[in-house]
Amino acid sequence: MNLTYTGLELRRVARDLVSMFFIAVLPAFFYVIFGASMSYGSEPVGNGNAALYVMIAMAAYGAVTATTGVGGMAAVERMQGWGRQLGLTPMSDGQYVVIKGVVALVISAVPITLIYILGFFTGAEGSGAAWFLSAVVVVAGAAVFSLYGLLAGLLFRTEAAVGAASGSLVVLAFLGNIFFPLSGTMLTIATFTPLYGYVALARYPLTGGEVVSTTGEAAAVQPLWMPAVNLVVWGIVFALLCTWLVRRGRGRQ
């Protein structure tokens, strides 16, 4: 891996203050507003409290915003001629992919670290396993959404499209049971949306699969395989669509 190019890429992304605001500052703000500052933050949820429940979701939201942006820009750069420039260097396509993956991982760690630190100092409580395992799932699962960003870049081939893909995560977050607990028909719909499985898996070490409800209904317990299948299926869908678009693009050349 080319450490010099990796460092340049990290500095380039970090200098984009608007993107870093939406990646790190906004999710942290959401956590403070919807988690730490609310009276229900101390209410018990699983082996912790509601503040930790919200904290995990906001960290996941920030992480996928980061990986979607990096994945999308990688596609746009290649199609706008940057790939030909890199072809003049010793860097291979494989190295380019690895570098972009490392950049996405490092950038996604920024909101996760910030929000977990905020949670620690603002009353988020849970078992050690819930803190550690949720962070692992948030980091690992966010990689799937680099494919979502890549798909947007391949499909529309503009930086605006990548921004739109990142912006669409807000809608997917509402539909995915991230910003507030859904119930009834809306919860049923949520289980089929891309972000639901990812965040439900991240929360699983805290909730043990218990579905949080604000309607006073008896809490249902969701088996682990349901969010896992959701995440895997959407990952496959994104990967297949990206592969098809790459092959179609080559066929036109």
Side-chain angles (χ1 to χ4, degrees):
M1 185 175 69
N2 190 312
L3 295 179
T4 301
Y5 185 68
T6 303
L8 290 171
E9 281 288 289
L10 286 171
R11 286 195 292 273
R12 182 177 66 83
V13 176
R15 283 198 301 265
D16 187 348
L17 298 182
V18 174
S19 294
M20 291 307 298
F21 172 82
F22 286 104
I23 289 171
V25 178
L26 189 60
F29 176 75
F30 284 160
Y31 162 68
V32 172
I33 295 299
F34 298 124
S37 66
M38 291 295 180
S39 58
Y40 59 71
S42 59
E43 292 293 319
V45 173
N47 57 54
N49 62 9
L52 185 63
Y53 180 86
V54 174
M55 185 202 79
I56 294 169
M58 293 304 103
Y61 174 69
V64 297
T65 301
T67 55
T68 296
V70 173
M73 287 309 301
V76 172
E77 287 171 3
R78 299 290 285 187
M79 288 183 292
Q80 290 182 342
W82 185 234
R84 289 192 294 271
Q85 295 296 321
L86 292 178
L88 300 175
T89 73
M91 186 185 301
S92 66
D93 287 343
Q95 287 176 315
Y96 179 78
V97 171
V98 169
I99 288 171
K100 285 294 185 180
V102 170
V103 170
L105 180 64
V106 172
I107 297 300
S108 69
V110 174
I112 297 169
T113 303
L114 174 60
I115 294 169
Y116 271 62
I117 290 174
L118 275 175
F120 181 81
F121 288 106
T122 55
E125 297 178 356
S127 66
W131 282 81
F132 175 74
L133 292 177
S134 65
V136 170
V137 175
V138 167
V139 173
V144 171
F145 290 86
S146 62
L147 294 173
Y148 176 64
L150 184 63
L151 177 62
L154 290 170
L155 191 59
F156 299 106
R157 304 188 177 201
T158 66
E159 295 182 15
V162 177
S166 297
S168 70
L169 292 174
V170 177
V171 177
L172 292 176
F174 275 108
L175 293 176
N177 205 35
I178 289 180
F179 290 139
F180 55 85
L182 301 175
S183 59
T185 302
M186 287 302 298
L187 180 60
T188 302
I189 294 172
T191 59
F192 295 97
T193 61
L195 282 174
Y196 180 84
Y198 167 53
V199 176
L201 274 179
R203 286 170 168 163
Y204 208 92
L206 169 68
T207 64
E210 184 176 302
V211 180
V212 174
S213 173
T214 59
T215 62
E217 300 174 355
V221 177
Q222 189 176 66
L224 181 60
W225 66 264
M226 289 184 66
V229 167
N230 174 285
L231 182 61
V232 170
V233 168
W234 277 108
I236 292 172
V237 169
F238 294 151
L240 289 176
L241 287 174
C242 288
T243 302
W244 174 68
L245 287 170
V246 168
R247 289 177 177 172
R248 187 182 70 169
R250 287 176 178 172
R252 290 176 175 175
Q253 293 175 357

